[in-house]
Structures are given as C-alpha cells and as structure tokens.
Amino acid sequence: MIRRIPQARDRGIPDATVARLPLYLRALNGLAERGTPTVSSEDLALAAGVNSAKLRKDLSHLGSYGTRGVGYDVQYLIYQISRELGLTQDWAVAIVGVGNLGRALANYGGFVSRGFRIAGLLDADPRVVGDRIAGLVVEHTDELEAVIKKRGVSIVVIATPATAAQQVCDRVIASGVTSILNFAPVVLAVPDGVDVRKVDLSIELQILAFHEQRKANGGPIMAEEWPDGVVM
Amino acid sequence: MIRRIPQARDRGIPDATVARLPLYLRALNGLAERGTPTVSSEDLALAAGVNSAKLRKDLSHLGSYGTRGVGYDVQYLIYQISRELGLTQDWAVAIVGVGNLGRALANYGGFVSRGFRIAGLLDADPRVVGDRIAGLVVEHTDELEAVIKKRGVSIVVIATPATAAQQVCDRVIASGVTSILNFAPVVLAVPDGVDVRKVDLSIELQILAFHEQRKANGGPIMAEEWPDGVVM
DNA sequence: GTGCCTTTGTGAACCCACGCACAAAGTCGG
DNA sequence: CCGACTTTGTGCGTGGGTTCACAAAGGCAC
Ligand SMILES: NC(=O)c1ccc[n+]([C@@H]2O[C@H](COP(=O)([O-])OP(=O)(O)OC[C@H]3O[C@@H](n4cnc5c(N)ncnc54)[C@H](O)[C@@H]3O)[C@@H](O)[C@H]2O)c1
Ligand SMILES: NC(=O)c1ccc[n+]([C@@H]2O[C@H](COP(=O)([O-])OP(=O)(O)OC[C@H]3O[C@@H](n4cnc5c(N)ncnc54)[C@H](O)[C@@H]3O)[C@@H](O)[C@H]2O)c1
C-alpha cells in the first residue's frame, strides 16, 4: 500500500519553481567550489538573481531544509535539489539532426556534468552518417527506434530543419519517449503526457528588438506615426 | 507637442503577449506562403498552438485589425505585427565568442530572414581571429567597442565561456548596447534599462528530467523513499 | 539558562494572465 | 434590404505567482 505524507513535501511543485531550481543549483555549485559551508536565502537569492522571499518559498516546496538564524547547508541543499530534479540518476539523451546546431550541442561539455549523457547522434544525410563527433559515431535515422530502445534514451533533442521536426517527433514518441527538447521553429503536435520544451533563438531576438525599438522611440507615441483612418 | 492617443493602441503590451507575437508571425508567414488571404482566430490559434481567446486578446492589444465574420487579413496582420516588433527595420547583431555555439549561430540563416543582420563576430583567441565564417571575418575582442560603434550594433549575443561573460557584458553596455542575448550559464548583473534574455539549454534539460522522473515514479510518493527523521 | 540576534517559513494582499462566454459587428445569400 | 450566420473584441471570474512583512525558531554569547 502506498502511504501519502500529507502535511510536508506534498508534491505538486509549481512550474515556476521547477524552472528556477536549476538556477539555484548552479549558484550553489559555485558556492560549494569556493568551500562555503552555509548560505542565507539573501545571499543565495543574490547569486541566482531572484528575490529572497521567492527563493525561500521555492525551497519550502521541497521541504524545510533551512536552519533559522543560520541559513541553508550548501552541500545538503545541492543534494536535495538534485534529487528533486532527478539529477541523481543519469539520463540518456539522443540528438536528432547533426548539423550546425546538433554538432555544437554534441561537443558541449555542460550537459554531461549535469548527469545528461549523449547516447546517440542521428541524421538522415548519408554524408553525415559515420562522422565521429565527441566520441560518438553518427547513425542513420533509420536506426532511430532501435537506438532509443537499445540505449534507454528517455530525452530526445530535435535539431533538424523545421520541415522534418514533426515527423521525427512522431517517431520518437512512438518509441516511447515522452520528453523532447525542440530547436526547430515549429509548434510540435504531441499527445497528452508528452513534454515538449522549445528553444527558439529567433523569438528571443524578436523580443529584444521589440524592447529596443520602444527604447529608441523614447516613450510616448508620436501621433503621426500612424495617422487616423489609414488602412494599409 | 506630443499627442497621446488614449483609447486605441495604448502601449504597454503585456510581456506575455510580446513573447507570443513572433509565434503568430511565424504561423502567418506559413499561411502567406500558401497564399491564404484571411484567417480566423480559431485557425491561427491552432497553427500557433495557443487558445483562440488568448490570441484575440493578444491581437487586440495592437489594435482592432480583424473583421468580424471574416477573420484577419494575413498580409496586413503580418505587417502590423512586424511593425510592432520592430522588424520593419533591420538590426545589426554582433556575436561575441566564436566557438561551437557562436559558429552555429553565425551559420544559421534563420536570423537574417527576420531582419537580423550579423554585423560582427568577435573572439579573444588569436587562433580564431581571422577565420572567415558565413562571409564575415572574426575580429579580436580588442575591437569590440569600435565594431559596435562603427557598425551600429544594437543587439549583442554572448557565446563565450561563463567566466568571460560578465566582463564582455560590462564592455558592451559601456559601449551603449542595451539588448543582450546570453548563452553563458551565469546570471549577468546589468544596470536598469538594459534587457538581458538568456538561453540555457542545460536548464531546459533539467526541467524535462524533473517531469520525466515524476512520470517514472508513477504518481504518489512511496513513503519509504524518504523515511521520517532521516537527515543526510 | 537566559536573552538577544539572525534568518527562516508562511499568511495575506496584490497583480497579472488565462479562458469562458457573450454581445456587438460585420458578411453574405436571397 | 433583411435575416441568418460567422467571428471578433472584451468583461469577468478564477487561479497562479510574486512580494511584503512578521511571528516563530534556532544559534550563540555570556
Ligand atoms: N544553427 C542555429 O544557430 C539555429 C538557431 C535557431 C534555430 N535553429 C534551428 O535548429 C535546427 C537545426 O539548425 P542547423 O543550423 O543545425 O541546421 P542544419 O541544416 O545545419 O542541420 C540540420 C541537420 O538535420 C539533418 N536532417 C534533415 N532531415 C532530417 C531527418 N528527417 N532526420 C534526421 N536528421 C535530419 C540534416 O541532414 C542536417 O544535418 C533548424 O530547425 C533551425 O531552424 C538553428
Ligand atoms: N555549445 C553548446 O551547445 C552550448 C550549450 C549550452 C550552453 N552553452 C554555453 O555557451 C557558451 C559557449 O559555448 P561553446 O560550446 O561555443 O564554447 P567554446 O569554448 O567552443 O567557445 C567559446 C569561445 O569564446 C571565446 N572567448 C573566450 N573568452 C572570450 C572573451 N573574453 N571574449 C571573447 N571571446 C572569448 C573562446 O576563444 C571560444 O572561441 C558557453 O558559456 C557555454 O556554457 C553552449
């Protein structure tokens, strides 16, 4: 029988909190490297670039791991957040689409250090298949299902052109994968229970451009910028 | 004297809306390519992967550009959103740090098509300086201020190692840049008025891992996973 | 042991965002 | 010209997230 613990550590951590936990973890790792034994919410919040009340509320969702008057034990908190995020196990990741971006990702060391192991590189282009990148040989997408099953891949990164993304997505989901990181500029259609996170650099630039334009315009709108009644 | 238009198109577009406008724009461009003249909020919302009421509310912040009973004119809406986002002008972008990621970004065609022109590539490594990438010659970071001023760079992409990011950030801000896209896994400290957007792939993977772990655990928590009273 | 000082954990108010649901507005066939 | 139909634009209720502010909790000096 499964007992639920009602009062403390009731799961259902808010999404906003989950998104910040990696930030705290990074800040804590920095402190740990410098040998800091404990840290107050104020200092940790500063390092993570958030409000200290928000930090305390976020951490309170995981449990009561602080000591009043002292702060948080750095090592212990690293362990707790890592466990909560599932970083105590390692995750096999496959990258589909080994072009400009896929290569950069494959060569990046920052993933491995967090428990993410690149377990497969796949591409549809025969000229790319067979290339050795970061110690791995690029395999043909025909092998996609086999690679996922054989190596226990549970997270797939899609770095193919936009036109191929949905098709790749469908195939990896059919193979049982439910976590996808998508770099292609398309909205992927997925069934319930599948998590897709997207990274779109073009969107980020456009958001910057919006604010930049507003700054340049210097506050209020000039009336003549768009005269009344003008259509097209 | 500057007249403000009170009732319609009063600025102060919510951030959440601004973040979705590029999504709508992408969907509209897809429709335009297929020659679709008009689109309903329902159809456009489907293509953009959002709720139709949300889409209509978002668009209503720009003005009343739809026709009841018909929908939105695709070309006209593309123009309005582009103008709102500041994509009718072109933006000079510099990339600092031409390693794995910087190269991928420089070679990526998707930016230019949106009015973002790569106007400079800069690196501190003498072995990289002088390389020709995507038609541009990599320059030394000593030239950073000169390049920004000379070429009218208003958006800077930071793709250096984490240790160098803050220093690069300080220099570009000192040169007058107020829009930064940061790929380095650090929280950049910037003065008011400077916009920083960050892309952290490692964080995205960690969020996926969190949800993946939860799915694997199969719902409620086993009590024995963390016995009462155990501390470390 | 006592009292002071620091810091946590959280109650409560506020603000923003989402999405339902509907009236108003406009189209189109006849 | 009219009535039926389609679709927009938005008022409003709901919920989640952020922040303030403070009581409670623990450490530490003496
Ligand atoms: N490079 C960037 O900086 C950047 C920035 C933003 C977005 N993106 C997006 O990321 C994606 C990849 O970009 P890129 O610059 O690496 O493109 P790229 O063309 O260099 O690489 C794409 C790779 O995918 C492979 N591919 C094509 N169809 C495939 C399929 N069905 N299955 C498996 N592999 C397939 C190609 O052979 C190629 O090697 C694109 O969707 C792009 O829009 C890239
Ligand atoms: N490659 C990826 O997929 C990836 C993923 C996530 C995050 N990142 C982050 O993006 C950044 C770049 O990653 P990368 O893989 O391209 O690293 P990289 O080491 O391949 O490239 C970094 C480049 O920056 C240059 N550089 C160093 N100091 C500099 C300075 N002060 N001024 C200008 N240039 C300087 C180096 O000479 C090098 O060419 C890193 O912070 C990394 O953590 C990369």
Side-chain angles (χ1 to χ4, degrees), chain A residues 11-220:
Chain A
R11 303 311 178 87
I13 298 178
D15 285 346
T17 295
V18 173
R20 283 187 293 267
L21 290 179
L23 226 55
Y24 304 152
L25 194 52
R26 190 205 289 160
L28 285 164
N29 280 324
L31 291 168
E33 276 172 27
R34 262 174 285 136
T36 315
T38 62
V39 66
S40 70
S41 63
E42 200 66 50
D43 291 349
L44 184 54
L46 192 70
V50 302
N51 181 293
S52 72
K54 181 149 63 180
L55 176 107
R56 287 196 298 276
K57 187 152 286 186
D58 283 343
L59 294 183
S60 77
H61 284 118
L62 318 187
S64 205
Y65 296 142
T67 307
R68 290 164 195 241
V70 176
Y72 301 88
D73 183 282
V74 171
Q75 293 297 337
Y76 185 52
L77 198 51
I78 286 176
Y79 170 71
Q80 289 299 342
I81 295 179
S82 296
R83 193 177 51 79
E84 195 67 52
L85 286 172
L87 305 181
T88 47
Q89 54 191 291
D90 84 354
W91 299 93
V93 178
I95 298 174
V96 185
V98 190
N100 287 315
L101 191 57
R103 273 162 212 270
L105 295 171
N107 281 318
Y108 180 52
F111 298 145
V112 181
S113 69
R114 286 274 182 285
F116 297 98
R117 185 169 42 83
I118 310 290
L121 301 175
L122 299 119
D123 203 290
D125 188 337
R127 288 167 301 179
V128 175
V129 173
D131 283 6
R132 175 173 288 271
I133 298 168
L136 276 174
V137 175
V138 178
E139 292 162 282
H140 195 274
T141 30
D142 287 351
E143 307 291 325
L144 183 56
E145 289 79 4
V147 167
I148 289 173
K149 294 225 163 67
K150 193 168 45 185
R151 313 224 181 107
V153 169
S154 49
I155 299 175
V156 168
V157 175
I158 298 182
T160 65
T163 47
Q166 183 64 57
Q167 183 192 339
V168 168
C169 174
D170 293 344
R171 285 178 63 192
V172 302
I173 290 172
S175 300
V177 170
T178 60
S179 296
I180 295 171
L181 181 53
N182 178 35
F183 285 89
V186 279
V187 178
L188 294 177
V190 299
D192 283 354
V194 175
D195 286 314
V196 177
R197 296 197 64 87
K198 66 172 199 302
V199 174
D200 193 320
L201 315 180
S202 182
I203 286 181
E204 300 300 325
L205 283 182
Q206 290 176 59
I207 294 171
L208 284 176
F210 170 84
H211 292 293
E212 188 68 25
Q213 184 188 38
R214 172 151 315 190
K215 283 180 243 171
N217 277 356

Side-chain angles (χ1 to χ4, degrees), chain A residues 2-5 9-13 15 18-19 22-23 25-26 47-49 65 75-76 79-80 83-89 91 93 100-101 104-105 107-108 110-111 114 116 154-155 157 178-181 183 185-187 193-215 217 220-223 225-226 228 230-232, chain B residues 2-5 9-13 15 18-19 22-23 25-26 47-49 65 75-76 79-80 83-89 91 93 100-101 104-105 107-108 110-111 114 116 154-155 157 178-181 183-187 193-215 220-223 225-226 228 230-232:
Chain A
I2 294 163
R3 246 187 336 114
R4 299 206 76 224
I5 305 161
R9 278 179 72 263
D10 198 3
R11 303 311 178 87
I13 298 178
D15 285 346
V18 173
L23 226 55
L25 194 52
R26 190 205 289 160
Y65 296 142
Q75 293 297 337
Y76 185 52
Y79 170 71
Q80 289 299 342
R83 193 177 51 79
E84 195 67 52
L85 286 172
L87 305 181
T88 47
Q89 54 191 291
W91 299 93
V93 178
N100 287 315
L101 191 57
L105 295 171
N107 281 318
Y108 180 52
F111 298 145
R114 286 274 182 285
F116 297 98
S154 49
I155 299 175
V157 175
T178 60
S179 296
I180 295 171
L181 181 53
F183 285 89
V186 279
V187 178
V194 175
D195 286 314
V196 177
R197 296 197 64 87
K198 66 172 199 302
V199 174
D200 193 320
L201 315 180
S202 182
I203 286 181
E204 300 300 325
L205 283 182
Q206 290 176 59
I207 294 171
L208 284 176
F210 170 84
H211 292 293
E212 188 68 25
Q213 184 188 38
R214 172 151 315 190
K215 283 180 243 171
N217 277 356
I221 324 139
M222 307 301 182
E225 188 192 342
W226 192 254
D228 284 343
V230 172
V231 176
M232 263 309 235
Chain B
I2 293 163
R3 243 187 340 114
R4 298 208 76 224
I5 306 163
R9 277 178 74 266
D10 198 4
R11 303 310 179 88
I13 299 179
D15 285 346
V18 174
L23 226 57
L25 195 52
R26 189 204 289 161
Y65 296 143
Q75 292 297 337
Y76 185 50
Y79 170 70
Q80 289 299 342
R83 192 177 53 79
E84 196 67 51
L85 287 172
L87 305 182
T88 47
Q89 54 191 291
W91 298 94
V93 178
N100 287 315
L101 191 57
L105 295 171
N107 282 318
Y108 181 51
F111 298 145
R114 285 275 181 286
F116 298 98
S154 49
I155 299 175
V157 175
T178 59
S179 295
I180 295 171
L181 181 54
F183 285 89
V186 280
V187 177
V194 175
D195 286 315
V196 177
R197 295 197 65 87
K198 66 171 201 299
V199 175
D200 194 320
L201 315 179
S202 182
I203 286 182
E204 300 300 324
L205 283 181
Q206 290 176 58
I207 295 171
L208 283 175
F210 171 83
H211 291 295
E212 188 69 25
Q213 185 188 38
R214 172 150 315 189
K215 282 181 245 173
I221 324 138
M222 308 302 182
E225 185 193 340
W226 192 255
D228 283 343
V230 172
V231 176
M232 259 310 226

